[in-house]
Amino acid sequence: MIRYALVTGGSRGIGRAICEKLAEEGFHLLINYRSEDAAAEETLQRVKALGADGELLKFDVADTAATQTALSSWAEAHPDAYIEVVVNNAGIRRDNLMVWMPAQDWSQVLNVTLGGFFNVTQPLLQPMLTHRRGRIINIVSLSGLKGLPGQTNYSAAKGGLIAATKALSQEVAKRGVTVNAIAPGFIATDMTADLEEKELKKQIPVGRFGKPEEVAALAAFLASDSAAYITGEVISINGGLY
């Protein structure tokens, strides 16, 4: 039986690494992305090079109608299948001190992280509950745990997703569906390329930025049968930075 996993924001960085790791575990990957066709195609080819299969799902998770259309179309084309694992990884940063933050930067960050979580996860829940098997993995952030100056919007979005993780986990646990969050610290990706890595590394006990593959390894474990008794948790992967 083919096992399907959907990774939002799967074309680059942490999302791409998670796609590759889940491919190694035998999943058929549904790689969601919004705009970067070439990067998404590269991720798909990497998945296939690992001996797995996959497909691209291009839609903006913040767009409710577009998300519903994409997921409904996929379900209609695969009437005997369901998406067993969803990794809510899509996110954007619009850093600024709140005193100077445009309203649009507040809304966009929350819409992608929180709106995207709802838009993607809600329609996938019923099939998981029916099959009594599902894994929902939310990629949050150190920023959502401790708050970081200049990231009030991002901290609010990720903090909200942490709370949603804890609440939803209690709603679906009896039906064999787990809901967990991974809170990365500073990970070396395109999203953190604009940060002062040399200075920030001084704050990290292990003395370096993390690798996307290290986050992906944790995601793959949470997606596995071995993690069936872990739910409602927020697991930090941050090199000791709290």
Side-chain angles (χ1 to χ4, degrees):
M1 186 179 86
I2 299 174
R3 302 174 71 188
Y4 293 90
L6 168 63
V7 180
T8 69
S11 65
R12 298 180 300 141
I14 290 173
R16 172 180 284 176
I18 291 173
C19 286
E20 292 182 288
K21 188 63 179 176
L22 291 178
E24 291 177 356
E25 299 299 320
F27 284 96
H28 179 110
L29 267 298
L30 308 180
I31 303 163
N32 161 258
Y33 70 106
R34 182 173 64 89
S35 60
E36 297 192 6
D37 296 303
E41 181 62 34
E42 182 180 347
T43 300
L44 178 58
Q45 293 310 313
R46 288 183 178 216
V47 163
K48 291 183 176 181
L50 291 166
D53 203 354
E55 55 197 284
L56 302 179
L57 290 182
K58 184 178 182 179
F59 62 89
D60 182 355
V61 299
D63 185 329
T64 303
T67 304
Q68 289 176 342
T69 297
L71 295 180
S72 295
S73 297
W74 187 90
E76 290 170 6
H78 302 79
D80 298 322
Y82 83 107
I83 296 172
E84 178 183 331
V85 175
V86 58
V87 181
N88 289 298
N89 169 70
I92 59 171
R93 283 175 45 220
R94 295 289 185 269
D95 294 356
N96 206 339
L97 295 179
M98 189 168 179
V99 67
W100 292 313
M101 183 178 292
Q104 183 179 12
D105 286 0
W106 173 268
S107 299
Q108 284 183 341
V109 170
L110 267 70
N111 288 343
V112 172
T113 295
L114 286 178
F117 160 74
F118 178 83
N119 292 339
V120 171
T121 306
Q122 196 274 342
L124 302 182
L125 277 174
Q126 189 59 57
M128 289 184 185
L129 297 173
T130 299
H131 287 85
R132 305 186 73 91
R133 176 67 165 82
R135 298 285 185 267
I136 298 165
I137 302 165
N138 299 320
I139 305 301
V140 293
S141 173
L142 172 69
S143 184
L145 289 169
K146 72 185 294 288
L148 292 175
Q151 290 192 335
T152 301
N153 50 0
Y154 193 70
S155 294
K158 295 300 189 179
L161 187 52
I162 288 170
T165 297
K166 293 176 179 290
L168 180 59
S169 69
Q170 296 174 67
E171 296 179 6
V172 299
K174 289 184 178 180
R175 302 289 281 184
V177 179
T178 66
V179 190
N180 290 290
I182 298 173
F186 293 109
I187 307 296
T189 67
D190 292 348
M191 191 179 233
T192 59
D194 62 328
L195 301 179
E196 294 291 337
E197 183 174 350
K198 184 177 180 180
E199 291 303 313
L200 289 169
K201 285 194 298 187
K202 297 176 183 177
Q203 304 175 29
I204 304 170
V206 302
R208 65 173 176 87
F209 275 21
K211 302 174 184 177
E213 294 78 12
E214 292 172 313
V215 180
L218 177 55
F221 171 70
L222 291 175
S224 72
D225 292 337
S226 297
Y229 202 56
I230 301 172
T231 196
E233 292 300 317
V234 182
I235 304 175
S236 293
I237 178 164
N238 58 25
L241 177 63
Y242 289 98

